[in-house]
Amino acid sequence: MMKKKILFKEPIFKECANIRTYRPRQEVYAKGVERSVRLFSLKQEHNWSDAEFKLALKAINDEYSLALHNVMFVPALERLTTEQQKAKWLPLARNYQVVGTYAQTELGHGTYLQGLETTATYDATTEEFVLNTPKVTSIKWWPGSLGKSVNFAIIQATLIIDGKKYGMHPFLTQLRSLEDHKPLPGIGVGDIGPKLSMNHVDNGYLILNNVRIPRENMLMKNAQVSREGQFTSRGPSKGNYSAMILVRVEIVLWCFISLSNASTIAVRYSAIRRQSKLDSSQEESKILDYQTQQYKVFPCLATSYALFFISKTLRNRYTRIHAEMMKGNYKNLPEIHSQSAGMKALASEMTVEVMEVSRQACGGHGYLAASTLGDIVIGAKSLITVEGENTVLYLQVARYLMKRFAAAAGEEPLSGSTDYLNKDPNEYRCPLKSPRDCRNVGLLCEVYRFRAYVMIANAAKKLQRDIEAGKKQHVAMNDNLVQLVRAAKAHMMYCMIKDYNESMSQLQTSLPVANALHYLQVFFSVFNLIKNGGDFLETEAVGLSQMEWLKEVEVQMLAEIRPDAVSLVDAFDIHDDALGSVLGCYDGNVYERMLKSTENEPLNQSDVHYSYHQHLKPFLHKNNPSKL
Amino acid sequence: MMKKKILFKEPIFKECANIRTYRPRQEVYAKGVERSVRLFSLKQEHNWSDAEFKLALKAINDEYSLALHNVMFVPALERLTTEQQKAKWLPLARNYQVVGTYAQTELGHGTYLQGLETTATYDATTEEFVLNTPKVTSIKWWPGSLGKSVNFAIIQATLIIDGKKYGMHPFLTQLRSLEDHKPLPGIGVGDIGPKLSMNHVDNGYLILNNVRIPRENMLMKNAQVSREGQFTSRGPSKGNYSAMILVRVEIVLWCFISLSNASTIAVRYSAIRRQSKLDSSQEESKILDYQTQQYKVFPCLATSYALFFISKTLRNRYTRIHAEMMKGNYKNLPEIHSQSAGMKALASEMTVEVMEVSRQACGGHGYLAASTLGDIVIGAKSLITVEGENTVLYLQVARYLMKRFAAAAGEEPLSGSTDYLNKDPNEYRCPLKSPRDCRNVGLLCEVYRFRAYVMIANAAKKLQRDIEAGKKQHVAMNDNLVQLVRAAKAHMMYCMIKDYNESMSQLQTSLPVANALHYLQVFFSVFNLIKNGGDFLETEAVGLSQMEWLKEVEVQMLAEIRPDAVSLVDAFDIHDDALGSVLGCYDGNVYERMLKSTENEPLNQSDVHYSYHQHLKPFLHKNNPSKL
C-alpha cells in the first residue's frame, strides 16, 4: 500500500498504457530508462529492502528498462563469484555504480548451451582473457538492457587455454565507458529491434572482437584459471544453474501478475457489458451472467489464484534447496532444476491460454490497444520462450522422470516430487466414487497422480520396447518425444495441484473467503482435468461416469464463483494507473473512457487526414464524383 | 503470377512488414491509403475482373486501408437495393466515384442486433430520414475505413415512423463532402485508436446528430417507406443476411491466407535453424527433424491446406444458395447461415491456435517484430471477434442443431449438413477395426459424425430433462450453454472433415502430390481427433485401443510429411516482399537478415541514446562510479 502511494503520485508511473501506445520506440525506451532511475532512486531514498523493492516493481507491472540488473546481474554475481570478487563487485552493483546484464543466448543458439560459440581465450603473457564472437551466429542476441542501457555484462563463453577447450564459464566484461557510456574498443553493441511487446526494454546484440578483460574478471566460484593458465574446477559447475533456476521460479510469479491484471479487466468489463436477454421479460443481461462467459473468464481468474499459491510453494522450496547448495550440498539440485523448469513451462503455457480466452471474452473491444488486454497477453507470450523454451524444458523434465522411473525399481525409495513412482498405482486407482467426491481437492489430486503415473510408465515402456526392437537410443528417443512431453506435462500438472492443495491447507482466513477460494480451487482442478479429458480416460484415471459428474461439477462451480467474481479481482488491488485499461477501471465507466481515449489518436488531430490530399482526392476527383 | 509481377515492381507494395514496424500511426495509415489508391488504379488500368482483383489482394495479404469498400460496401449495395437504386449507386461505387463502408456495430452493442440504438426517424414533411445516435453507447464503433477514408456509409438503424418502431434497416448516408472530404453537418467521425494489428485501417466511430438523408437513400429491396410514410415489408428481411454470410465465408479464406504465410515462415526457419544433436556423432540437427518440432509446425501446415480445400467447398455452397435466394427462394438460408457462422468460428479458432504454436516453435526469434509471425497471429486474432463473436456463432449453430434434432423425429428426412441426425447412430458405430483404418479419411469422418451425433443428442436430452424438472426455458438454456457450444463445435468439426474429403476426392493431380496431400489430410483428421480425445472417448466414438492406434498414426504422419514440408510451403508461392519476414525468405539467409534488420531500429541511430544524458548519467555519476 505504501509503495503504491509513493509510486503513483509521480507522473512517470501514472502514465497509462493507452498513452504509451502512441509513442515512437525512442520515447518508449527513454521513458523506461526514466522509470528505472526513479525506481532505483526511490529504493535508495526509502531504503527499501529487496522484498519491498519487489513489491514496488509488482505495483508497476515490472515496466522499466533496466530490469535485468536486478533480476539477473546481481543474483548472478551473488552466485558465481569468489568471496574476494563478491567483496569488490556486489557493493558496486547494489549501489548502482555499475549497471549490468547477463549475456548467454546467441543469434544461432539458445537453449543448447554446448552449441554456444563465443570464446574467451586466456593470454598468460598479459594475464587477460580475449573475448570473441567469431561468426554471425555467435553474436550475443536477446539479453535485456544490453542494447543501450548497461555498462557491464556477465558473458558466457567457452574458455580456451593453450588451444584446449574447458567448457562454458562466466566473464564479467565492461562494455561501455563509465564516463561517457561510449562502447569500449572491440565492442559492437545495439538494440535488436522491436518485439511484440516490452519495447521499453532494449534487448540487445553484442559483437566481441578481441576484447581483453583482466584474469580476475572470470567469475571463479566454480572454476579457476591461475596466472600461469592452470585450470582447476571445483567439481561440476552446478552453481551456474542456480541463477537460471531462480529466474524460472520468478517467472511463475510473473505469470500470476499478468493473470491478475488480465482477469481484473475481463471480470470488471463483463460485469458492465450487457448483451441480449436471458429472460425476455427483463432488460439486457450482464454478459458475466451467461454460463459461456463465465466459462471463458473464470479459468483466468482461477488460474490467477492458483499460481499465486503455487508460486509461493515453489519459492519456498527453491529457498530451502538454494541454502543447501550454498553450503555445497547439491543433492536436491536435479529436483529443483526439474521442478522450476516444468513449473515455468506449464505456468506460462496455461497463463497465455486462459488470458487469451479472457481477452476474446471481451469481444472486439478486447482487441483495442486501449483495453491493454492484448498487450498483457502478448507480453506473457514471451514467457513461453525466454529462459528455456517450454518444449525443451518439458523434455528436461521427461528425461528426469525416465531416470527416476528406472530408479524406482531400485532399493532406495524416491523422495520429492516423484515419490509416487515408488508405489503400485493401483493402490490409488480412481478414488471418485460419487459426484460429491468430484469436489474433493484431495481426491482430485490423487486422480492427477494416477494419470501421471500411467503416462510416465507408458512412455518408459514404449521407449524400452523401441530400443529392444533394435532402434538406436537416439532414434527411439526422437520417435517418442511427443509422448514424453505429454508425460512431463501430466507430472507437472499433478505437482501443481499438489502444491496448490498444500499451500491452501495452511491458509488461515474467514469462512466466506475460504469458501470463495475453495470454489476457485475445485474449479481449477476440475477444469484442467476435463480439458485433458482424453488423457484421464485413456489412462483410466477416471471412467465415463466420473467424467459426467466432473462436467456437472465444473458448471456448478461457475455458478458458485459468480457472486464473488468482482470482489475476487478487486482483492488484487491493482491501481487503475498500473492497469491502464479503458475496460477495467474500478469505477466501471467503460464507454465514456473509450470515447475519451480517441482524443489521443494522432489521426484525429485534423478532420481531414493529409493522405486525402496526397492520394485519395486526386484519384476520386479523376473518377468524377460531380456526376453524383 | 501476372498480378505479382505487376504489384511487386512498385515500391509501395515492396515495403516489408519489418520497415512498417517503425512507422508512426499517421504514416502507417497514409501508406495504407496510398496502397488502396494504387490498387484501385491498377484494377482500372488493367481492367481486372473481380476475381483477378481478389488475387491481387491476396498477393499483398489484403494490406490496404479501404478494404471495406470492396468487402462490404459494394456487396451490400448489390444485395440491399431495388433495381432503381442499383442503377444509380452501383456504377458510382464500382468506379470509385464514392467510397463507402458498412456501419452496424455500436459502442455498447455488437452481435445482438435488436439492442442497436441508432435511429432513423421518417419526416414526411421533407421526405427525409433523420438519423441519430442518442447515447454514448449508440455511437457507431469499429467499422473499417470509417474514421478518415470513406465518404459514404450504409448505416443500420431502427426505423421509426410516427413514433412506431419498424425494426432495423439500412440507410445509405453521405458522411463527408465530395469536394473537400470535410464531415457534413451533424456528423462526428474519427478513428477509434490503435488496435493490436491492422493499424493501416482506420476503424472509426460515428456520431449522428439529426443527420438528414433523402427518403430514397433507405435501401429498399426488403422493405419500403412511401412518401407518405407508409411502411411495407416484402416478407422477413432475409436479404439483410446475405452480405453478412458472404463475409463469414470470406473469413474462412482469410484464415487460409494467414495460415499459409505463417507456415511458410515457420517451416522454412525450422529447416535452417539447428539445435542440439539427435545423433551425438553428427553435427547439430535441423530443428525440423525433431518429432516435437514437427508436432508444433505441421498442424499449422496441415490446417493451411485443409482450410484451402474447405473454404472452396463452402464458397461453392454459398454461391449456389445465394443464387437461389436472389430468386426469392430462402429455403436453404438457415442451412448456409449456420454453416457460415460455424465455419467462421471454428476456422478462426483453429487458425489462431495452430499459428501461435508455430510461432512458439520459432523460439525467441518468433517474438521479434521482424519475424512478422507475431503480427500474423495477432492479425488473425481479430477474426475471432469480428463479424459475429465466435461463442455467439457457436450458439447460433447449437440452436439450429436443437431445432433440427427435434425435426429429425418428424416425417420429413433432413437434408444438408444435418442429414445424419435422421439415422440411428449405431449404424455407424466405431468403424476403426485396425491401425490401418486410422489412416482412412472416410472412416475417420464417420468417427467424427458419430461423436457429433452423440453430443448433439446428449445436449438435447439434457435440455429436455432440465425443462421437465421444472426449470424455466431460459434458465435451462443458460445452464447448458457450455455443453451446447461443445455440441456445435463437434458438428462443425465433422462438417469440416466431410467438406475436406469431398473437395479432395475431386482433385486431379500427380501421384507424388496426391500422396503428400493425403498425408496432410490424414494428419489433420487424426490430430484434431486426438486433441479432442476426451469427447471421442466419452461418446464412445472410439475406444481405448483405437485411441492408441490413432496416436501411433499421428506420429507416423509427422514422419511422412517431413520430406515434403518445405516444398509444401514453397507451393504457396508467397512473394518475399509480401511475407516481409527475416525468418522466412526463400533463400534461407536467416541470420544475416536478422543482423541487417537492426540497422532500421531508431535506437541504433547513435551509439549513446539521449536518455543516457537525460536520466542515466546523472544517477550513475551521483553514485560515484569512479571508485571502480
Side-chain angles (χ1 to χ4, degrees):
Chain A
M1 209 46 153
M2 265 314 263
K3 306 288 157 307
K4 288 185 192 171
K5 258 200 185 143
I6 292 167
L7 290 164
F8 291 112
K9 72 178 182 206
E10 307 214 5
I12 183 70
F13 298 115
K14 278 182 78 78
E15 182 178 89
C16 74
N18 185 23
I19 295 290
R20 290 200 293 276
T21 310
Y22 301 101
R23 290 196 191 286
R25 179 82 203 280
Q26 298 261 25
E27 282 179 37
V28 169
Y29 168 68
K31 286 280 169 192
V33 174
E34 191 182 347
R35 278 174 166 239
S36 309
V37 167
R38 276 310 291 148
L39 273 171
F40 298 159
S41 305
L42 286 170
K43 182 175 190 281
Q44 294 179 329
E45 237 168 80
H46 297 277
N47 210 7
W48 283 339
S49 69
D50 284 354
E52 287 174 313
F53 185 55
K54 274 180 87 169
L55 284 177
L57 296 178
K58 182 172 164 290
I60 62 151
N61 293 322
D62 277 296
E63 291 192 356
Y64 67 115
S65 303
L66 278 121
L68 274 283
H69 180 80
N70 303 294
V71 174
M72 289 292 282
F73 187 64
V74 174
L77 282 181
E78 286 168 347
R79 284 159 177 77
L80 303 173
T81 46
T82 61
E83 289 308 312
Q84 208 182 349
Q85 289 177 323
K86 234 187 271 299
K88 174 173 181 184
W89 292 106
L90 270 179
L92 290 168
R94 286 198 179 131
N95 300 327
Y96 304 104
Q97 290 168 272
V98 303
V99 280
T101 187
Y102 180 91
Q104 181 169 303
T105 303
E106 296 170 359
L107 198 37
H109 282 98
T111 313
Y112 181 61
L113 301 188
Q114 284 142 281
L116 292 174
E117 298 170 333
T118 302
T119 55
T121 309
Y122 187 60
D123 179 351
T125 60
T126 60
E127 294 183 23
E128 288 172 318
F129 293 103
V130 188
L131 274 68
N132 276 294
T133 50
K135 296 193 279 181
V136 174
T137 47
S138 334
I139 296 170
K140 293 290 178 192
W141 190 275
W142 272 117
S145 323
L146 172 65
K148 311 307 279 187
S149 301
V150 299
N151 44 34
F152 269 82
I154 296 168
I155 295 174
Q156 289 286 2
T158 299
L159 170 64
I160 300 177
I161 308 173
D162 290 335
K164 192 179 159 198
K165 291 185 178 179
Y166 289 88
M168 222 177 46
H169 297 276
F171 298 87
L172 182 63
T173 309
Q174 184 174 348
L175 306 180
R176 290 173 177 271
S177 152
L178 299 185
E179 275 314 304
D180 60 12
H181 214 56
K182 290 232 172 86
L184 298 184
I187 283 170
V189 65
D191 186 277
I192 60 171
K195 298 133 302 187
L196 299 185
S197 186
M198 297 192 287
N199 286 313
H200 55 277
V201 179
D202 52 319
N203 296 77
Y205 67 83
L206 175 64
I207 302 171
L208 299 162
N209 186 13
N210 289 321
V211 173
R212 291 182 163 262
I213 60 168
R215 184 184 64 89
E216 294 80 13
N217 278 23
M218 172 172 164
L219 301 185
M220 299 213 196
K221 182 181 171 73
N222 302 307
Q224 293 189 322
V225 174
S226 72
R227 288 186 185 184
E228 300 74 28
Q230 194 66 38
F231 177 82
T232 39
S233 164
R234 312 189 170 188
S237 59
K238 287 171 176 168
N240 275 350
Y241 286 109
S242 186
M244 192 172 75
I245 293 170
L246 175 62
V247 181
R248 291 176 185 165
V249 170
E250 288 285 302
I251 286 176
V252 181
L253 183 69
W254 298 346
C255 287
F256 156 70
I257 295 174
S258 282
L259 285 162
S260 62
N261 278 273
S263 52
T264 299
I265 298 168
V267 169
R268 286 184 181 161
Y269 176 66
S270 302
I272 297 296
R273 176 78 172 185
R274 290 171 181 273
Q275 184 177 295
S276 304
K277 300 177 177 185
L278 276 167
D279 179 349
S280 55
S281 67
Q282 301 291 316
E283 63 174 335
E284 281 191 73
S285 310
K286 291 181 178 181
I287 56 176
L288 194 54
D289 288 327
Y290 289 89
Q291 192 187 59
T292 30
Q293 184 74 3
Q294 294 163 4
Y295 188 67
K296 288 164 86 176
V297 169
F298 292 169
C300 184
L301 176 63
T303 310
S304 310
Y305 275 91
L307 289 188
F308 173 78
F309 289 109
I310 289 162
S311 74
K312 264 173 84 163
T313 320
L314 180 64
R315 180 77 196 202
N316 290 341
R317 192 174 301 136
Y318 169 78
T319 307
R320 185 170 50 74
I321 296 177
H322 174 66
E324 290 173 9
M325 292 198 286
M326 285 289 110
K327 289 182 204 145
N329 172 2
Y330 289 99
K331 181 175 61 97
N332 285 314
L333 174 61
E335 171 75 10
I336 191 69
H337 182 265
S338 152
Q339 281 283 299
S340 63
M343 285 288 184
K344 181 270 184 186
L346 187 55
S348 58
E349 182 182 328
M350 287 170 70
T351 295
V352 170
E353 242 179 82
V354 296
M355 285 206 302
E356 171 59 17
V357 174
S358 255
R359 191 198 63 73
Q360 291 171 14
C362 296
H365 295 349
Y367 201 71
L368 279 175
S371 79
T372 27
L373 253 177
D375 198 50
I376 295 171
V377 180
I378 295 164
K381 280 185 183 183
S382 68
L383 302 179
I384 286 174
T385 45
V386 290
E387 300 300 330
E389 189 273 332
N390 279 1
T391 303
V392 175
L393 296 184
Y394 283 130
L395 287 173
Q396 288 176 359
V397 174
R399 277 186 212 100
Y400 177 67
L401 291 172
M402 292 301 104
K403 274 186 210 157
R404 304 289 280 180
F405 188 76
E411 297 277 291
E412 206 182 333
L414 302 179
S415 64
S417 70
T418 55
D419 60 357
Y420 67 104
L421 297 178
N422 289 315
K423 292 190 199 164
D424 178 352
N426 288 310
E427 277 179 33
Y428 41 88
R429 185 168 202 137
C430 199
L432 307 176
K433 306 296 181 203
S434 70
R436 170 182 278 193
D437 282 354
C438 299
R439 291 161 166 255
N440 181 321
V441 290
L443 295 177
L444 290 168
C445 186
E446 286 184 34
V447 173
Y448 275 95
R449 188 172 56 187
F450 185 85
R451 169 231 194 184
Y453 185 99
V454 177
M455 289 182 72
I456 293 166
N458 286 348
K461 284 175 206 155
K462 173 69 171 36
L463 210 49
Q464 195 54 37
R465 269 207 311 279
D466 280 4
I467 289 168
E468 281 166 11
K471 280 191 190 174
K472 283 187 190 163
Q473 168 80 30
H474 73 267
V475 176
M477 196 69 191
N478 195 28
D479 285 353
N480 288 286
L481 289 183
V482 169
Q483 191 172 356
L484 285 164
V485 168
R486 284 187 180 129
K489 283 192 198 186
H491 170 69
M492 290 316 306
M493 197 67 227
Y494 156 65
C495 294
M496 269 198 180
I497 297 288
K498 192 171 64 116
D499 285 358
Y500 192 1
N501 291 1
E502 204 175 296
S503 184
M504 284 290 288
S505 67
Q506 290 155 10
L507 192 74
Q508 305 256 331
T509 182
S510 70
L511 190 64
V513 172
N515 276 339
L517 294 179
H518 177 69
Y519 294 138
L520 285 177
Q521 191 187 0
V522 174
F523 179 70
F524 180 80
S525 304
V526 171
F527 172 80
N528 283 295
L529 197 162
I530 292 169
K531 199 158 156 285
N532 297 286
D535 278 1
F536 284 90
L537 288 168
E538 261 180 276
T539 55
E540 300 183 72
V542 298
L544 295 181
S545 353
Q546 281 83 14
M547 195 51 96
E548 217 170 287
W549 300 336
L550 286 161
K551 288 197 169 165
E552 271 298 307
V553 171
E554 186 181 41
V555 293
Q556 284 162 10
M557 287 303 113
L558 296 176
E560 298 283 11
I561 295 167
R562 170 66 185 95
D564 295 315
V566 174
S567 312
L568 283 164
V569 300
D570 287 349
F572 293 136
D573 192 26
I574 302 169
H575 198 284
D576 276 354
D577 288 331
L579 208 54
S581 166
V582 291
L583 301 185
C585 287
Y586 186 76
D587 65 13
N589 279 336
V590 168
Y591 299 115
E592 289 76 5
R593 246 192 212 89
M594 287 178 73
L595 188 61
K596 182 93 184 137
S597 78
T598 61
E599 291 170 16
N600 302 320
E601 169 56 53
L603 287 183
N604 294 334
Q605 279 165 13
S606 60
D607 271 348
V608 178
H609 191 252
Y610 66 80
S611 63
Y612 169 76
H613 301 288
Q614 280 183 6
H615 306 295
L616 202 54
K617 185 178 177 177
F619 174 71
L620 292 176
H621 281 213
K622 189 193 66 173
N623 295 326
N624 189 17
S626 63
K627 262 178 64 183
L628 199 151
Chain B
M1 208 46 150
M2 266 313 262
K3 304 291 155 307
K4 288 185 194 174
K5 257 200 187 143
I6 292 167
L7 289 165
F8 291 112
K9 73 177 182 208
E10 308 213 5
I12 183 71
F13 297 115
K14 277 182 79 76
E15 181 178 271
C16 73
N18 185 23
I19 296 290
R20 288 199 295 275
T21 309
Y22 300 101
R23 291 195 191 288
R25 177 84 204 278
Q26 298 261 24
E27 282 179 36
V28 169
Y29 169 67
K31 286 279 168 191
V33 174
E34 192 183 347
R35 278 174 166 238
S36 309
V37 166
R38 276 309 293 150
L39 273 170
F40 298 159
S41 304
L42 287 169
K43 181 174 190 279
Q44 292 178 330
E45 237 169 78
H46 297 278
N47 211 6
W48 284 339
S49 68
D50 283 353
E52 286 174 314
F53 186 55
K54 273 180 89 168
L55 284 177
L57 296 180
K58 182 170 165 293
I60 61 151
N61 291 323
D62 278 298
E63 291 191 356
Y64 67 115
S65 303
L66 278 120
L68 274 284
H69 179 81
N70 303 295
V71 175
M72 287 293 282
F73 186 65
V74 174
L77 282 180
E78 285 166 349
R79 284 160 177 78
L80 303 174
T81 45
T82 60
E83 288 309 313
Q84 207 181 349
Q85 289 176 322
K86 233 187 272 300
K88 172 172 182 188
W89 292 106
L90 270 180
L92 290 169
R94 286 199 179 129
N95 301 326
Y96 303 105
Q97 291 168 272
V98 302
V99 278
T101 187
Y102 180 90
Q104 182 168 303
T105 303
E106 296 170 1
L107 197 39
H109 281 98
T111 314
Y112 181 61
L113 302 188
Q114 284 142 280
L116 292 174
E117 298 169 335
T118 302
T119 54
T121 309
Y122 188 60
D123 178 353
T125 59
T126 59
E127 293 182 24
E128 287 172 319
F129 293 102
V130 188
L131 273 67
N132 276 296
T133 49
K135 295 193 279 180
V136 175
T137 47
S138 335
I139 296 170
K140 293 291 180 190
W141 189 275
W142 273 117
S145 322
L146 171 66
K148 311 305 280 187
S149 303
V150 300
N151 44 32
F152 269 82
I154 296 168
I155 295 173
Q156 290 286 1
T158 299
L159 171 64
I160 301 176
I161 307 173
D162 290 334
K164 193 180 159 199
K165 290 184 179 180
Y166 289 87
M168 223 178 44
H169 297 276
F171 298 86
L172 181 64
T173 309
Q174 185 173 350
L175 307 180
R176 289 173 178 271
S177 150
L178 298 185
E179 273 315 302
D180 59 12
H181 213 56
K182 291 234 171 86
L184 298 184
I187 283 171
V189 66
D191 185 277
I192 60 170
K195 297 134 298 185
L196 299 185
S197 186
M198 297 194 287
N199 286 313
H200 54 278
V201 179
D202 52 320
N203 297 77
Y205 67 83
L206 176 63
I207 301 170
L208 299 162
N209 186 11
N210 289 320
V211 172
R212 292 183 162 262
I213 60 169
R215 185 184 64 89
E216 294 81 13
N217 278 25
M218 172 174 165
L219 302 185
M220 299 212 196
K221 182 180 170 74
N222 302 305
Q224 293 189 321
V225 173
S226 71
R227 288 186 185 188
E228 300 75 25
Q230 193 67 40
F231 176 82
T232 38
S233 163
R234 312 191 169 184
S237 59
K238 287 170 176 168
N240 274 350
Y241 286 108
S242 186
M244 191 172 74
I245 293 170
L246 174 64
V247 181
R248 290 175 184 165
V249 170
E250 288 285 302
I251 286 175
V252 181
L253 183 69
W254 297 347
C255 286
F256 156 70
I257 295 173
S258 281
L259 285 162
S260 62
N261 277 274
S263 54
T264 298
I265 298 168
V267 169
R268 284 183 182 163
Y269 175 67
S270 302
I272 296 296
R273 176 78 170 185
R274 290 173 181 272
Q275 184 175 294
S276 306
K277 300 177 177 185
L278 276 167
D279 179 351
S280 57
S281 67
Q282 302 290 316
E283 63 173 337
E284 283 191 71
S285 310
K286 291 182 178 180
I287 56 175
L288 195 53
D289 288 327
Y290 289 89
Q291 192 187 59
T292 30
Q293 185 74 5
Q294 294 164 4
Y295 188 66
K296 287 164 87 176
V297 169
F298 292 168
C300 183
L301 176 62
T303 310
S304 310
Y305 274 92
L307 289 188
F308 174 78
F309 288 108
I310 290 162
S311 73
K312 266 173 84 164
T313 320
L314 179 64
R315 179 78 196 201
N316 290 341
R317 193 174 301 135
Y318 169 78
T319 307
R320 184 168 51 72
I321 296 176
H322 174 65
E324 289 172 11
M325 291 197 287
M326 285 289 108
K327 287 182 205 143
N329 172 2
Y330 289 98
K331 179 173 63 91
N332 286 314
L333 173 62
E335 171 75 10
I336 192 67
H337 182 263
S338 153
Q339 280 283 299
S340 64
M343 285 288 184
K344 180 270 185 188
L346 187 55
S348 58
E349 182 181 330
M350 288 170 69
T351 294
V352 170
E353 242 179 84
V354 296
M355 285 206 301
E356 171 59 17
V357 174
S358 255
R359 189 197 64 72
Q360 291 171 13
C362 296
H365 295 349
Y367 201 70
L368 280 175
S371 78
T372 25
L373 253 178
D375 199 50
I376 295 172
V377 179
I378 295 164
K381 280 185 182 184
S382 68
L383 302 179
I384 286 174
T385 44
V386 289
E387 301 299 331
E389 190 274 332
N390 279 1
T391 303
V392 175
L393 296 184
Y394 283 131
L395 287 173
Q396 287 177 0
V397 174
R399 278 187 212 99
Y400 177 68
L401 290 173
M402 291 301 104
K403 274 187 209 154
R404 303 291 280 181
F405 188 76
E411 297 276 290
E412 206 182 333
L414 303 179
S415 64
S417 69
T418 55
D419 60 358
Y420 66 104
L421 297 178
N422 289 316
K423 292 191 199 165
D424 177 352
N426 288 310
E427 275 179 35
Y428 42 88
R429 185 166 201 139
C430 198
L432 306 177
K433 306 296 180 201
S434 71
R436 167 181 279 193
D437 282 354
C438 299
R439 292 163 166 252
N440 181 319
V441 290
L443 295 178
L444 290 169
C445 186
E446 287 184 33
V447 173
Y448 275 95
R449 188 173 55 186
F450 185 84
R451 169 231 196 185
Y453 184 99
V454 176
M455 290 182 72
I456 293 165
N458 286 348
K461 283 174 205 155
K462 174 69 172 35
L463 209 50
Q464 195 54 37
R465 270 206 310 279
D466 280 3
I467 290 167
E468 281 165 10
K471 279 190 191 177
K472 283 187 190 162
Q473 167 81 28
H474 74 266
V475 177
M477 196 70 189
N478 196 28
D479 285 353
N480 288 286
L481 289 183
V482 170
Q483 191 172 356
L484 285 165
V485 167
R486 285 189 180 126
K489 282 191 196 185
H491 170 69
M492 290 316 306
M493 196 67 228
Y494 155 65
C495 294
M496 269 199 178
I497 297 288
K498 192 172 64 120
D499 285 358
Y500 192 1
N501 291 1
E502 202 176 296
S503 185
M504 283 292 286
S505 67
Q506 290 155 11
L507 192 75
Q508 305 257 330
T509 181
S510 71
L511 191 62
V513 172
N515 276 339
L517 294 179
H518 178 67
Y519 293 137
L520 285 177
Q521 192 188 0
V522 173
F523 179 69
F524 181 80
S525 304
V526 171
F527 173 81
N528 283 295
L529 197 162
I530 292 170
K531 199 158 156 284
N532 297 287
D535 278 2
F536 284 90
L537 288 168
E538 262 180 275
T539 55
E540 299 182 74
V542 298
L544 295 181
S545 355
Q546 280 83 15
M547 194 52 94
E548 218 171 286
W549 300 337
L550 286 161
K551 287 196 170 167
E552 272 299 307
V553 171
E554 185 182 42
V555 293
Q556 284 163 8
M557 287 303 115
L558 295 176
E560 298 283 12
I561 294 167
R562 170 65 186 94
D564 295 315
V566 174
S567 312
L568 283 164
V569 300
D570 287 349
F572 293 135
D573 192 26
I574 301 168
H575 198 284
D576 276 354
D577 289 333
L579 208 53
S581 166
V582 291
L583 301 185
C585 287
Y586 186 76
D587 65 12
N589 280 336
V590 167
Y591 299 115
E592 290 77 4
R593 243 191 215 93
M594 286 178 76
L595 189 60
K596 181 95 183 134
S597 78
T598 62
E599 292 169 17
N600 302 322
E601 168 56 52
L603 287 183
N604 295 334
Q605 278 165 15
S606 61
D607 270 347
V608 179
H609 191 252
Y610 66 81
S611 62
Y612 169 76
H613 301 288
Q614 280 183 3
H615 307 293
L616 202 53
K617 185 177 177 180
F619 175 70
L620 293 175
H621 282 211
K622 190 193 64 170
N623 296 327
N624 188 17
S626 63
K627 260 178 66 184
L628 200 149

